[in-house]
Amino acid sequence: MTSMQRDTRTAILDAAQELIQTHGANGMSYQSISRVVKIRKASIHYHFPSKDKLIEEVIRRYSREFLGLVDGILVSSDSAPGKLRRYIGLFETTLRNGAGRRVCLCGMLGAELASLGNPAVSLLRRFYRDNAKRLARILEDGRKTRTLSFDGDPETMGELIFSFLEGAMPVARADGGVKGFGRMTGQLLRNLGL
Amino acid sequence: MTSMQRDTRTAILDAAQELIQTHGANGMSYQSISRVVKIRKASIHYHFPSKDKLIEEVIRRYSREFLGLVDGILVSSDSAPGKLRRYIGLFETTLRNGAGRRVCLCGMLGAELASLGNPAVSLLRRFYRDNAKRLARILEDGRKTRTLSFDGDPETMGELIFSFLEGAMPVARADGGVKGFGRMTGQLLRNLGL
DNA sequence: GTCTATAGCGCGATAGAC
DNA sequence: GTCTATCGCGCTATAGAC
């Protein structure tokens, strides 16, 4: 292991992630990665033996980082509405930083579910559940403190809001952009009593 | 034009649509179509000169048929909540008929936006707007008749609900299935005062 | 209208030199 | 760790026979 390995490995993961978020798993190839990272496509196999393994690593890293940010929001001293706003902000940031061309990694891969291996599908399912569960905690907290209002159980409401956010990203990318996304999330918050 | 042309053309469109809804545009190939329709892959080019044109035709037909069903709901004598339930039912039927593996054609293609030609992207954008607009009409009607309750303008609410439905299909396909989809849409209706 | 044959490219993956 | 070279496959698309 030379001093460059970690950096090359990270650079490959970065390139793969961005390519998946913009073009999908089928639009991400060893060739396209080699154009971004200054390395020959055959060399990528040294770091990631197969494309399936590479995709799994990208999902794992993305899930870890994203849920880490979410947990940071959960343990903060913000009000429930504040936490919800910050949670939605994570999705908006993805759209904004990608110049309106990047969507959630796991939302994109959800569309390509049939092309993925079983390990990747399991990782996606876990990402969905973990997000819905954390949203449910915020919602339950908000209802208790009477700062958020909605009907039905918080778990299902968490699933609903998560699905909406995953759907709103590709829709906004095609029409409305970051502005359209913000309009929709604003409407959501308004209907939660904010 | 022999007597078979229309049927072959339709069979190709049917196969292409189903393949896109399950595997995406990148997972739909002339080869995979030829496996379903009993025809050689080169022969497909007689009916659709390029893959881009084929995709455009599939979107056009899907939009026409889907919006036709929606318009049928709009002109019916159902109450606004009844219309909304039937509209949501169109999405649930897609998921159910595809054995939980098929999502909305235009939701799938929205994820693959970067791989599509400009005409296809414009058709998608129109589909999104047309759906949101029709939802807005149902919502406005429901608010006037006090059968649906929500805050903010109906247009934005229409965009929100449409994005939710497009997001809920791939999420439910990965986790929860038709049952999970129904749970989320039930929660939505509950929060609109039903 | 449908066929066979093929061009031309990009893909994932491997072998082996350095 | 990265390279060159190559294999075998699937892809879109075209030419030309029938």
Side-chain angles (χ1 to χ4, degrees), chain A residues 85-145:
Chain A
R85 279 184 213 277
R86 284 178 61 194
Y87 179 81
I88 292 170
L90 295 178
F91 289 80
E92 187 174 323
T93 297
T94 298
L95 207 58
R96 195 183 299 278
N97 285 356
R101 265 167 288 148
R102 217 183 290 188
V103 302
C104 172
L105 179 91
C106 296
M108 178 64 93
L109 291 175
E112 297 178 292
L113 204 74
S115 329
L116 303 178
N118 275 326
V121 173
S122 295
L123 292 170
L124 280 191
R125 200 175 290 127
R126 176 148 54 168
F127 181 80
Y128 295 166
R129 287 185 187 171
D130 285 350
N131 271 277
K133 203 179 287 185
R134 280 159 174 80
L135 263 171
R137 277 204 256 162
I138 296 175
L139 293 166
E140 196 169 20
D141 175 29
R143 177 187 270 170
K144 270 185 190 148
T145 55

Side-chain angles (χ1 to χ4, degrees), chain B residues 82-113:
Chain B
K83 287 176 182 171
L84 184 57
R85 279 185 214 276
R86 284 179 63 195
Y87 179 81
I88 291 171
L90 295 178
F91 290 80
E92 189 175 323
T93 297
T94 298
L95 206 58
R96 195 183 300 277
N97 287 354
R101 266 168 286 149
R102 215 184 291 189
V103 302
C104 173
L105 178 92
C106 295
M108 179 63 93
L109 291 175
E112 297 177 292
L113 204 75

Side-chain angles (χ1 to χ4, degrees), chain A:
Chain A
M1 189 198 298
T2 71
S3 59
M4 274 294 100
Q5 189 191 347
R6 176 169 294 276
D7 289 331
T8 302
R9 194 185 145 85
T10 302
I12 293 168
L13 285 171
D14 290 344
Q17 181 181 322
E18 163 141 23
L19 282 163
I20 295 173
Q21 289 185 270
T22 52
H23 293 78
N26 289 317
M28 180 273 286
S29 68
Y30 280 39
Q31 191 67 261
S32 60
I33 292 172
S34 80
R35 265 179 239 124
V36 179
V37 184
K38 289 296 180 245
I39 195 175
R40 292 294 189 163
K41 67 166 180 166
S43 309
I44 300 172
H45 285 277
Y46 170 81
H47 300 277
F48 303 96
S50 74
K51 188 176 172 178
D52 276 2
K53 293 288 182 189
L54 170 56
I55 292 174
E56 289 165 29
E57 258 341 283
V58 173
I59 302 176
R60 254 186 276 272
R61 188 184 69 159
Y62 185 89
S63 295
R64 197 187 319 124
E65 290 181 355
F66 193 90
L67 290 169
L69 291 173
V70 176
D71 285 338
I73 294 173
L74 283 175
V75 302
S76 75
S77 56
D78 289 7
S79 64
K83 286 175 182 172
L84 184 56
R85 279 184 213 277
R86 284 178 61 194
Y87 179 81
I88 292 170
L90 295 178
F91 289 80
E92 187 174 323
T93 297
T94 298
L95 207 58
R96 195 183 299 278
N97 285 356
R101 265 167 288 148
R102 217 183 290 188
V103 302
C104 172
L105 179 91
C106 296
M108 178 64 93
L109 291 175
E112 297 178 292
L113 204 74
S115 329
L116 303 178
N118 275 326
V121 173
S122 295
L123 292 170
L124 280 191
R125 200 175 290 127
R126 176 148 54 168
F127 181 80
Y128 295 166
R129 287 185 187 171
D130 285 350
N131 271 277
K133 203 179 287 185
R134 280 159 174 80
L135 263 171
R137 277 204 256 162
I138 296 175
L139 293 166
E140 196 169 20
D141 175 29
R143 177 187 270 170
K144 270 185 190 148
T145 55
R146 299 184 195 285
T147 51
L148 291 176
S149 109
F150 59 94
D151 291 326
D153 65 291
E155 285 72 25
T156 311
M157 198 66 189
E159 295 171 10
L160 193 167
I161 294 176
F162 177 71
S163 287
F164 155 65
L165 290 169
E166 291 291 359
M169 295 190 78
V171 168
R173 181 171 65 163
D175 193 32
V178 181
K179 200 171 160 186
F181 185 82
R183 209 181 323 123
M184 289 188 273
T185 56
Q187 181 84 349
L188 173 70
L189 293 171
R190 199 189 290 253
N191 277 273
L192 289 167
L194 299 182

